[in-house]
Amino acid sequence: MHSIQVTVGSSSGLHARPASLFVQASARQPVKVTVGRPGQAPVDARSLLSVLALAAGRGEILELTASGEGAEDALKALAELLATDLDAAA
């Protein structure tokens, strides 16, 4: 199992548009990815409602986890996306 921690970069946190873009990118990955706060139960990164329920704000640290072939590349791509200010990229 692989995991990576990332700081949420979007100015509005992981809400609405940034969460939607993250969920869409997660759904395109070849492995199942979970996301959550370190030390807490993670949620499915492909579920918009679950990701929104995290209510992660800008600057919060989230942990992405995945296993299987392609997990490391998937985590790197999703971590890069989360670290970006997706609100500014609109």
Side-chain angles (χ1 to χ4, degrees), residues 4-55:
I4 189 170
Q5 290 188 356
V6 62
T7 302
V8 176
S10 288
S11 58
S12 68
L14 198 51
H15 300 283
R17 184 175 182 277
S20 178
L21 293 172
F22 174 74
V23 167
Q24 290 171 21
S26 296
R28 290 191 299 268
Q29 300 305 317
V31 293
K32 179 181 176 185
V33 177
T34 60
V35 59
R37 289 180 178 83
Q40 295 184 1
V43 299
D44 186 348
R46 299 172 294 180
S47 169
L48 183 58
L49 290 178
S50 296
V51 171
L52 287 171
L54 289 172

Side-chain angles (χ1 to χ4, degrees), residues 30-31 67-72:
V31 293
S67 61
E69 189 172 332
E72 286 184 74

Side-chain angles (χ1 to χ4, degrees), residues 3-15 18 22 35-38 54-64 75-87:
S3 66
I4 189 170
Q5 290 188 356
V6 62
T7 302
V8 176
S10 288
S11 58
S12 68
L14 198 51
H15 300 283
F22 174 74
V35 59
R37 289 180 178 83
L54 289 172
R58 181 180 191 151
E60 283 196 60
I61 296 174
L62 295 179
E63 185 170 39
L64 304 173
L75 292 179
K76 286 178 187 175
L78 291 172
E80 185 176 310
L81 184 67
L82 273 182
T84 303
D85 186 354
L86 297 172
D87 294 312

